[in-house]
Amino acid sequence: MAAAWPRWEFAKLQDARTGLHFTNHSAIGDLHEDIPIGTEYEWKDGHRNCYTCVATWVNSAEGGTLSITRSGKAASYSEVRIVCDNSLTFELTHENGVQWGRVFVRGAT
């Protein structure tokens, strides 16, 4: 039996200008990330690697684009999450130029 595709949620922090709360409802449980906008912050990945990050958010009529740069001992990369109506496009670009991504559609199985 295959694990269900993860579901994602964005929510604005109390002061929407300061950041977003991102929840990944995954097969291993809910993973939460508070993402301050325009301010450097520390973040640990699932392997406990520490990264220094900076995020930006650009609104659009259909949703918006969250861009995050992450730098750490394990790797440095950029991450883009594009919300457009009922879809979330997730893209990673490693510092060496290798890219990976996928598209999630709300309500799709």
Side-chain angles (χ1 to χ4, degrees), residues 79-91:
E79 182 176 318
V80 177
R81 303 174 197 182
I82 303 167
V83 178
C84 184
D85 296 325
N86 286 328
S87 70
L88 171 68
T89 301
F90 183 82
E91 301 170 348

Side-chain angles (χ1 to χ4, degrees), residues 10-13 16 18-22 33-37 57 66:
F10 278 108
K12 294 177 183 177
L13 295 179
T18 63
L20 301 168
H21 181 82
F22 190 76
E33 183 179 3
D34 285 330
I35 305 168
I37 302 300
W57 174 262
L66 175 66

Side-chain angles (χ1 to χ4, degrees):
M1 178 180 215
W5 280 91
R7 292 178 299 117
W8 305 83
E9 289 180 45
F10 278 108
K12 294 177 183 177
L13 295 179
Q14 188 170 9
D15 180 351
R17 294 169 296 169
T18 63
L20 301 168
H21 181 82
F22 190 76
T23 305
N24 173 4
H25 303 285
S26 74
I28 61 170
D30 289 350
L31 305 172
H32 299 274
E33 183 179 3
D34 285 330
I35 305 168
I37 302 300
T39 303
E40 191 173 275
Y41 66 101
E42 299 294 316
W43 175 77
K44 288 185 181 176
D45 68 12
H47 297 284
R48 313 281 306 150
N49 296 308
C50 191
Y51 293 87
T52 300
C53 309
V54 177
T56 61
W57 174 262
V58 177
N59 283 318
S60 72
E62 299 82 19
T65 301
L66 175 66
S67 300
I68 306 171
T69 58
R70 301 190 190 274
S71 297
K73 290 181 182 177
S76 292
Y77 60 94
S78 62
E79 182 176 318
V80 177
R81 303 174 197 182
I82 303 167
V83 178
C84 184
D85 296 325
N86 286 328
S87 70
L88 171 68
T89 301
F90 183 82
E91 301 170 348
L92 292 175
T93 303
H94 190 273
E95 63 190 341
N96 66 9
V98 173
Q99 294 182 310
W100 176 88
R102 61 171 54 160
V103 176
F104 300 92
V105 178
R106 186 185 310 266
T109 56

